[in-house]
PDB file of all heavy atoms in Angstrom:
ATOM      1  N   GLU A   1       0.824  -1.205   0.000  1.00 98.00           N
ATOM      2  CA  GLU A   1       0.000   0.000   0.000  1.00 98.00           C
ATOM      3  C   GLU A   1       0.863   1.263   0.000  1.00 98.00           C
ATOM      4  O   GLU A   1       2.064   1.213   0.225  1.00 98.00           O
ATOM      5  CB  GLU A   1      -0.905   0.030   1.237  1.00 98.00           C
ATOM      6  CG  GLU A   1      -2.332  -0.390   0.971  1.00 98.00           C
ATOM      7  CD  GLU A   1      -2.969   0.364  -0.193  1.00 98.00           C
ATOM      8  OE1 GLU A   1      -2.519   1.489  -0.524  1.00 98.00           O
ATOM      9  OE2 GLU A   1      -3.909  -0.164  -0.794  1.00 98.00           O
ATOM     10  N   TYR A   2       0.183   2.370  -0.247  1.00 97.00           N
ATOM     11  CA  TYR A   2       0.802   3.660   0.006  1.00 97.00           C
ATOM     12  C   TYR A   2       0.972   3.852   1.508  1.00 97.00           C
ATOM     13  O   TYR A   2       0.317   3.200   2.321  1.00 97.00           O
ATOM     14  CB  TYR A   2      -0.066   4.793  -0.543  1.00 97.00           C
ATOM     15  CG  TYR A   2       0.005   4.957  -2.032  1.00 97.00           C
ATOM     16  CD1 TYR A   2      -1.045   4.531  -2.847  1.00 97.00           C
ATOM     17  CD2 TYR A   2       1.107   5.539  -2.632  1.00 97.00           C
ATOM     18  CE1 TYR A   2      -0.995   4.680  -4.231  1.00 97.00           C
ATOM     19  CE2 TYR A   2       1.182   5.696  -4.006  1.00 97.00           C
ATOM     20  CZ  TYR A   2       0.133   5.267  -4.805  1.00 97.00           C
ATOM     21  OH  TYR A   2       0.201   5.410  -6.164  1.00 97.00           O
ATOM     22  N   ALA A   3       1.864   4.763   1.870  1.00 96.00           N
ATOM     23  CA  ALA A   3       2.061   5.129   3.268  1.00 96.00           C
ATOM     24  C   ALA A   3       2.483   6.593   3.307  1.00 96.00           C
ATOM     25  O   ALA A   3       2.819   7.186   2.278  1.00 96.00           O
ATOM     26  CB  ALA A   3       3.122   4.245   3.921  1.00 96.00           C
ATOM     27  N   ARG A   4       2.474   7.165   4.491  1.00 95.00           N
ATOM     28  CA  ARG A   4       2.879   8.563   4.623  1.00 95.00           C
ATOM     29  C   ARG A   4       4.401   8.641   4.600  1.00 95.00           C
ATOM     30  O   ARG A   4       5.076   8.062   5.452  1.00 95.00           O
ATOM     31  CB  ARG A   4       2.354   9.145   5.931  1.00 95.00           C
ATOM     32  CG  ARG A   4       2.516  10.648   6.028  1.00 95.00           C
ATOM     33  CD  ARG A   4       1.971  11.156   7.347  1.00 95.00           C
ATOM     34  NE  ARG A   4       1.931  12.605   7.379  1.00 95.00           N
ATOM     35  CZ  ARG A   4       1.622  13.319   8.457  1.00 95.00           C
ATOM     36  NH1 ARG A   4       1.325  12.699   9.590  1.00 95.00           N
ATOM     37  NH2 ARG A   4       1.599  14.633   8.410  1.00 95.00           N
ATOM     38  N   PRO A   5       4.981   9.348   3.621  1.00 96.00           N
ATOM     39  CA  PRO A   5       6.437   9.407   3.514  1.00 96.00           C
ATOM     40  C   PRO A   5       7.072  10.077   4.725  1.00 96.00           C
ATOM     41  O   PRO A   5       6.424  10.804   5.485  1.00 96.00           O
ATOM     42  CB  PRO A   5       6.667  10.226   2.242  1.00 96.00           C
ATOM     43  CG  PRO A   5       5.383  10.155   1.485  1.00 96.00           C
ATOM     44  CD  PRO A   5       4.320  10.068   2.530  1.00 96.00           C
ATOM     45  N   ALA A   6       8.364   9.838   4.882  1.00 95.00           N
ATOM     46  CA  ALA A   6       9.123  10.495   5.944  1.00 95.00           C
ATOM     47  C   ALA A   6       9.107  12.011   5.744  1.00 95.00           C
ATOM     48  O   ALA A   6       8.907  12.518   4.634  1.00 95.00           O
ATOM     49  CB  ALA A   6      10.558   9.983   5.937  1.00 95.00           C
ATOM     50  N   ALA A   7       9.336  12.742   6.827  1.00 95.00           N
ATOM     51  CA  ALA A   7       9.266  14.203   6.779  1.00 95.00           C
ATOM     52  C   ALA A   7      10.274  14.795   5.797  1.00 95.00           C
ATOM     53  O   ALA A   7      10.024  15.851   5.206  1.00 95.00           O
ATOM     54  CB  ALA A   7       9.479  14.774   8.175  1.00 95.00           C
ATOM     55  N   TRP A   8      11.411  14.114   5.594  1.00 96.00           N
ATOM     56  CA  TRP A   8      12.427  14.639   4.692  1.00 96.00           C
ATOM     57  C   TRP A   8      12.114  14.358   3.220  1.00 96.00           C
ATOM     58  O   TRP A   8      12.758  14.903   2.322  1.00 96.00           O
ATOM     59  CB  TRP A   8      13.795  14.050   5.020  1.00 96.00           C
ATOM     60  CG  TRP A   8      13.841  12.538   5.029  1.00 96.00           C
ATOM     61  CD1 TRP A   8      13.748  11.729   6.109  1.00 96.00           C
ATOM     62  CD2 TRP A   8      13.988  11.684   3.890  1.00 96.00           C
ATOM     63  NE1 TRP A   8      13.822  10.410   5.728  1.00 96.00           N
ATOM     64  CE2 TRP A   8      13.978  10.355   4.368  1.00 96.00           C
ATOM     65  CE3 TRP A   8      14.137  11.897   2.512  1.00 96.00           C
ATOM     66  CZ2 TRP A   8      14.087   9.248   3.521  1.00 96.00           C
ATOM     67  CZ3 TRP A   8      14.247  10.801   1.675  1.00 96.00           C
ATOM     68  CH2 TRP A   8      14.229   9.497   2.171  1.00 96.00           C
ATOM     69  N   ASN A   9      11.135  13.509   2.964  1.00 96.00           N
ATOM     70  CA  ASN A   9      10.829  13.081   1.605  1.00 96.00           C
ATOM     71  C   ASN A   9       9.944  14.120   0.915  1.00 96.00           C
ATOM     72  O   ASN A   9       8.826  14.383   1.370  1.00 96.00           O
ATOM     73  CB  ASN A   9      10.112  11.723   1.646  1.00 96.00           C
ATOM     74  CG  ASN A   9       9.936  11.114   0.263  1.00 96.00           C
ATOM     75  OD1 ASN A   9      10.030  11.790  -0.754  1.00 96.00           O
ATOM     76  ND2 ASN A   9       9.684   9.813   0.242  1.00 96.00           N
ATOM     77  N   PRO A  10      10.389  14.720  -0.191  1.00 95.00           N
ATOM     78  CA  PRO A  10       9.552  15.704  -0.890  1.00 95.00           C
ATOM     79  C   PRO A  10       8.195  15.156  -1.306  1.00 95.00           C
ATOM     80  O   PRO A  10       7.229  15.918  -1.445  1.00 95.00           O
ATOM     81  CB  PRO A  10      10.397  16.076  -2.117  1.00 95.00           C
ATOM     82  CG  PRO A  10      11.795  15.756  -1.735  1.00 95.00           C
ATOM     83  CD  PRO A  10      11.712  14.554  -0.833  1.00 95.00           C
ATOM     84  N   MET A  11       8.095  13.829  -1.506  1.00 93.00           N
ATOM     85  CA  MET A  11       6.823  13.233  -1.899  1.00 93.00           C
ATOM     86  C   MET A  11       5.734  13.460  -0.846  1.00 93.00           C
ATOM     87  O   MET A  11       4.550  13.450  -1.166  1.00 93.00           O
ATOM     88  CB  MET A  11       6.998  11.730  -2.138  1.00 93.00           C
ATOM     89  CG  MET A  11       7.780  11.396  -3.381  1.00 93.00           C
ATOM     90  SD  MET A  11       6.909  11.919  -4.866  1.00 93.00           S
ATOM     91  CE  MET A  11       8.047  11.358  -6.127  1.00 93.00           C
ATOM     92  N   ARG A  12       6.140  13.636   0.377  1.00 93.00           N
ATOM     93  CA  ARG A  12       5.162  13.875   1.443  1.00 93.00           C
ATOM     94  C   ARG A  12       4.356  15.137   1.174  1.00 93.00           C
ATOM     95  O   ARG A  12       3.179  15.240   1.554  1.00 93.00           O
ATOM     96  CB  ARG A  12       5.879  13.975   2.779  1.00 93.00           C
ATOM     97  CG  ARG A  12       4.970  14.223   3.976  1.00 93.00           C
ATOM     98  CD  ARG A  12       5.701  13.952   5.252  1.00 93.00           C
ATOM     99  NE  ARG A  12       4.882  14.237   6.428  1.00 93.00           N
ATOM    100  CZ  ARG A  12       5.144  13.767   7.643  1.00 93.00           C
ATOM    101  NH1 ARG A  12       6.194  12.974   7.832  1.00 93.00           N
ATOM    102  NH2 ARG A  12       4.373  14.078   8.659  1.00 93.00           N
ATOM    103  N   TYR A  13       4.974  16.097   0.506  1.00 93.00           N
ATOM    104  CA  TYR A  13       4.343  17.383   0.274  1.00 93.00           C
ATOM    105  C   TYR A  13       3.883  17.565  -1.174  1.00 93.00           C
ATOM    106  O   TYR A  13       2.873  18.223  -1.425  1.00 93.00           O
ATOM    107  CB  TYR A  13       5.318  18.503   0.646  1.00 93.00           C
ATOM    108  CG  TYR A  13       5.982  18.233   1.978  1.00 93.00           C
ATOM    109  CD1 TYR A  13       7.274  17.708   2.038  1.00 93.00           C
ATOM    110  CD2 TYR A  13       5.298  18.438   3.178  1.00 93.00           C
ATOM    111  CE1 TYR A  13       7.874  17.422   3.258  1.00 93.00           C
ATOM    112  CE2 TYR A  13       5.892  18.155   4.396  1.00 93.00           C
ATOM    113  CZ  TYR A  13       7.183  17.650   4.431  1.00 93.00           C
ATOM    114  OH  TYR A  13       7.770  17.352   5.641  1.00 93.00           O
ATOM    115  N   LEU A  14       4.591  16.941  -2.120  1.00 92.00           N
ATOM    116  CA  LEU A  14       4.268  17.101  -3.535  1.00 92.00           C
ATOM    117  C   LEU A  14       3.200  16.120  -4.004  1.00 92.00           C
ATOM    118  O   LEU A  14       2.391  16.448  -4.881  1.00 92.00           O
ATOM    119  CB  LEU A  14       5.534  16.931  -4.379  1.00 92.00           C
ATOM    120  CG  LEU A  14       6.666  17.919  -4.112  1.00 92.00           C
ATOM    121  CD1 LEU A  14       7.881  17.592  -4.970  1.00 92.00           C
ATOM    122  CD2 LEU A  14       6.199  19.346  -4.377  1.00 92.00           C
ATOM    123  N   PHE A  15       3.204  14.911  -3.442  1.00 90.00           N
ATOM    124  CA  PHE A  15       2.330  13.859  -3.946  1.00 90.00           C
ATOM    125  C   PHE A  15       0.960  13.869  -3.275  1.00 90.00           C
ATOM    126  O   PHE A  15      -0.025  13.411  -3.858  1.00 90.00           O
ATOM    127  CB  PHE A  15       3.006  12.490  -3.765  1.00 90.00           C
ATOM    128  CG  PHE A  15       2.470  11.424  -4.670  1.00 90.00           C
ATOM    129  CD1 PHE A  15       2.292  11.653  -6.018  1.00 90.00           C
ATOM    130  CD2 PHE A  15       2.144  10.167  -4.178  1.00 90.00           C
ATOM    131  CE1 PHE A  15       1.797  10.666  -6.859  1.00 90.00           C
ATOM    132  CE2 PHE A  15       1.658   9.173  -5.008  1.00 90.00           C
ATOM    133  CZ  PHE A  15       1.477   9.423  -6.352  1.00 90.00           C
ATOM    134  N   ALA A  16       0.882  14.392  -2.059  1.00 90.00           N
ATOM    135  CA  ALA A  16      -0.403  14.412  -1.345  1.00 90.00           C
ATOM    136  C   ALA A  16      -1.491  15.153  -2.126  1.00 90.00           C
ATOM    137  O   ALA A  16      -2.619  14.648  -2.230  1.00 90.00           O
ATOM    138  CB  ALA A  16      -0.225  15.009   0.045  1.00 90.00           C
ATOM    139  N   PRO A  17      -1.232  16.323  -2.709  1.00 92.00           N
ATOM    140  CA  PRO A  17      -2.284  16.997  -3.483  1.00 92.00           C
ATOM    141  C   PRO A  17      -2.739  16.186  -4.694  1.00 92.00           C
ATOM    142  O   PRO A  17      -3.922  16.214  -5.054  1.00 92.00           O
ATOM    143  CB  PRO A  17      -1.624  18.310  -3.915  1.00 92.00           C
ATOM    144  CG  PRO A  17      -0.532  18.535  -2.929  1.00 92.00           C
ATOM    145  CD  PRO A  17      -0.027  17.163  -2.590  1.00 92.00           C
ATOM    146  N   ILE A  18      -1.810  15.451  -5.313  1.00 89.00           N
ATOM    147  CA  ILE A  18      -2.172  14.621  -6.463  1.00 89.00           C
ATOM    148  C   ILE A  18      -3.103  13.500  -6.026  1.00 89.00           C
ATOM    149  O   ILE A  18      -4.137  13.234  -6.644  1.00 89.00           O
ATOM    150  CB  ILE A  18      -0.902  14.049  -7.122  1.00 89.00           C
ATOM    151  CG1 ILE A  18      -0.035  15.180  -7.679  1.00 89.00           C
ATOM    152  CG2 ILE A  18      -1.271  13.074  -8.243  1.00 89.00           C
ATOM    153  CD1 ILE A  18       1.304  14.732  -8.213  1.00 89.00           C
ATOM    154  N   LEU A  19      -2.732  12.831  -4.928  1.00 88.00           N
ATOM    155  CA  LEU A  19      -3.575  11.756  -4.432  1.00 88.00           C
ATOM    156  C   LEU A  19      -4.946  12.265  -4.012  1.00 88.00           C
ATOM    157  O   LEU A  19      -5.962  11.585  -4.212  1.00 88.00           O
ATOM    158  CB  LEU A  19      -2.898  11.067  -3.242  1.00 88.00           C
ATOM    159  CG  LEU A  19      -1.749  10.111  -3.559  1.00 88.00           C
ATOM    160  CD1 LEU A  19      -1.200   9.510  -2.270  1.00 88.00           C
ATOM    161  CD2 LEU A  19      -2.193   8.997  -4.501  1.00 88.00           C
ATOM    162  N   SER A  20      -4.999  13.443  -3.426  1.00 88.00           N
ATOM    163  CA  SER A  20      -6.277  13.962  -2.945  1.00 88.00           C
ATOM    164  C   SER A  20      -7.263  14.162  -4.082  1.00 88.00           C
ATOM    165  O   SER A  20      -8.483  14.106  -3.877  1.00 88.00           O
ATOM    166  CB  SER A  20      -6.064  15.276  -2.197  1.00 88.00           C
ATOM    167  OG  SER A  20      -5.619  16.295  -3.075  1.00 88.00           O
ATOM    168  N   VAL A  21      -6.759  14.375  -5.296  1.00 90.00           N
ATOM    169  CA  VAL A  21      -7.622  14.564  -6.464  1.00 90.00           C
ATOM    170  C   VAL A  21      -7.916  13.239  -7.154  1.00 90.00           C
ATOM    171  O   VAL A  21      -9.076  12.910  -7.426  1.00 90.00           O
ATOM    172  CB  VAL A  21      -6.975  15.548  -7.459  1.00 90.00           C
ATOM    173  CG1 VAL A  21      -7.808  15.634  -8.737  1.00 90.00           C
ATOM    174  CG2 VAL A  21      -6.833  16.921  -6.829  1.00 90.00           C
ATOM    175  N   LEU A  22      -6.861  12.463  -7.424  1.00 91.00           N
ATOM    176  CA  LEU A  22      -7.028  11.236  -8.198  1.00 91.00           C
ATOM    177  C   LEU A  22      -7.404  10.038  -7.343  1.00 91.00           C
ATOM    178  O   LEU A  22      -8.051   9.105  -7.830  1.00 91.00           O
ATOM    179  CB  LEU A  22      -5.734  10.929  -8.965  1.00 91.00           C
ATOM    180  CG  LEU A  22      -5.306  11.971  -9.996  1.00 91.00           C
ATOM    181  CD1 LEU A  22      -4.003  11.546 -10.660  1.00 91.00           C
ATOM    182  CD2 LEU A  22      -6.398  12.186 -11.039  1.00 91.00           C
ATOM    183  N   GLU A  23      -6.981  10.027  -6.098  1.00 92.00           N
ATOM    184  CA  GLU A  23      -7.231   8.897  -5.188  1.00 92.00           C
ATOM    185  C   GLU A  23      -7.846   9.458  -3.905  1.00 92.00           C
ATOM    186  O   GLU A  23      -7.165   9.616  -2.892  1.00 92.00           O
ATOM    187  CB  GLU A  23      -5.915   8.172  -4.875  1.00 92.00           C
ATOM    188  CG  GLU A  23      -5.147   7.701  -6.094  1.00 92.00           C
ATOM    189  CD  GLU A  23      -5.585   6.309  -6.529  1.00 92.00           C
ATOM    190  OE1 GLU A  23      -6.624   5.829  -6.029  1.00 92.00           O
ATOM    191  OE2 GLU A  23      -4.893   5.713  -7.366  1.00 92.00           O
ATOM    192  N   PRO A  24      -9.144   9.766  -3.910  1.00 93.00           N
ATOM    193  CA  PRO A  24      -9.731  10.540  -2.808  1.00 93.00           C
ATOM    194  C   PRO A  24      -9.722   9.848  -1.450  1.00 93.00           C
ATOM    195  O   PRO A  24      -9.926  10.515  -0.430  1.00 93.00           O
ATOM    196  CB  PRO A  24     -11.174  10.772  -3.281  1.00 93.00           C
ATOM    197  CG  PRO A  24     -11.442   9.695  -4.282  1.00 93.00           C
ATOM    198  CD  PRO A  24     -10.132   9.447  -4.957  1.00 93.00           C
ATOM    199  N   PHE A  25      -9.478   8.544  -1.416  1.00 96.00           N
ATOM    200  CA  PHE A  25      -9.470   7.833  -0.133  1.00 96.00           C
ATOM    201  C   PHE A  25      -8.057   7.483   0.333  1.00 96.00           C
ATOM    202  O   PHE A  25      -7.874   6.944   1.411  1.00 96.00           O
ATOM    203  CB  PHE A  25     -10.294   6.551  -0.236  1.00 96.00           C
ATOM    204  CG  PHE A  25     -11.635   6.753  -0.880  1.00 96.00           C
ATOM    205  CD1 PHE A  25     -11.910   6.236  -2.137  1.00 96.00           C
ATOM    206  CD2 PHE A  25     -12.615   7.502  -0.250  1.00 96.00           C
ATOM    207  CE1 PHE A  25     -13.143   6.431  -2.739  1.00 96.00           C
ATOM    208  CE2 PHE A  25     -13.858   7.706  -0.836  1.00 96.00           C
ATOM    209  CZ  PHE A  25     -14.118   7.168  -2.096  1.00 96.00           C
ATOM    210  N   ALA A  26      -7.063   7.789  -0.493  1.00 95.00           N
ATOM    211  CA  ALA A  26      -5.704   7.333  -0.220  1.00 95.00           C
ATOM    212  C   ALA A  26      -5.103   7.978   1.018  1.00 95.00           C
ATOM    213  O   ALA A  26      -4.332   7.339   1.750  1.00 95.00           O
ATOM    214  CB  ALA A  26      -4.808   7.585  -1.434  1.00 95.00           C
ATOM    215  N   LEU A  27      -5.415   9.238   1.264  1.00 94.00           N
ATOM    216  CA  LEU A  27      -4.802   9.916   2.397  1.00 94.00           C
ATOM    217  C   LEU A  27      -5.243   9.319   3.726  1.00 94.00           C
ATOM    218  O   LEU A  27      -4.555   9.472   4.739  1.00 94.00           O
ATOM    219  CB  LEU A  27      -5.095  11.417   2.338  1.00 94.00           C
ATOM    220  CG  LEU A  27      -4.471  12.153   1.141  1.00 94.00           C
ATOM    221  CD1 LEU A  27      -4.764  13.645   1.219  1.00 94.00           C
ATOM    222  CD2 LEU A  27      -2.963  11.913   1.072  1.00 94.00           C
ATOM    223  N   GLU A  28      -6.403   8.641   3.748  1.00 94.00           N
ATOM    224  CA  GLU A  28      -6.805   7.936   4.965  1.00 94.00           C
ATOM    225  C   GLU A  28      -5.807   6.836   5.294  1.00 94.00           C
ATOM    226  O   GLU A  28      -5.513   6.574   6.464  1.00 94.00           O
ATOM    227  CB  GLU A  28      -8.191   7.330   4.785  1.00 94.00           C
ATOM    228  CG  GLU A  28      -9.299   8.353   4.606  1.00 94.00           C
ATOM    229  CD  GLU A  28     -10.645   7.703   4.327  1.00 94.00           C
ATOM    230  OE1 GLU A  28     -10.713   6.444   4.336  1.00 94.00           O
ATOM    231  OE2 GLU A  28     -11.624   8.420   4.086  1.00 94.00           O
TER     232      GLU A  28
END
């Protein structure tokens, strides 16, 4: 599964908005 990236990982901040649009349940 997906998981919440480490704080140092840029994906934590860049990928979350993408998932919120394309994968509306993923952030849960």
Side-chain angles (χ1 to χ4, degrees):
E1 259 308 336
Y2 284 105
R4 190 180 189 187
W8 55 263
N9 188 342
M11 289 295 181
R12 180 165 177 162
Y13 314 100
L14 299 177
F15 202 47
I18 297 174
L19 284 180
S20 67
V21 174
L22 298 179
E23 305 272 12
F25 313 111
L27 295 183
E28 295 176 3

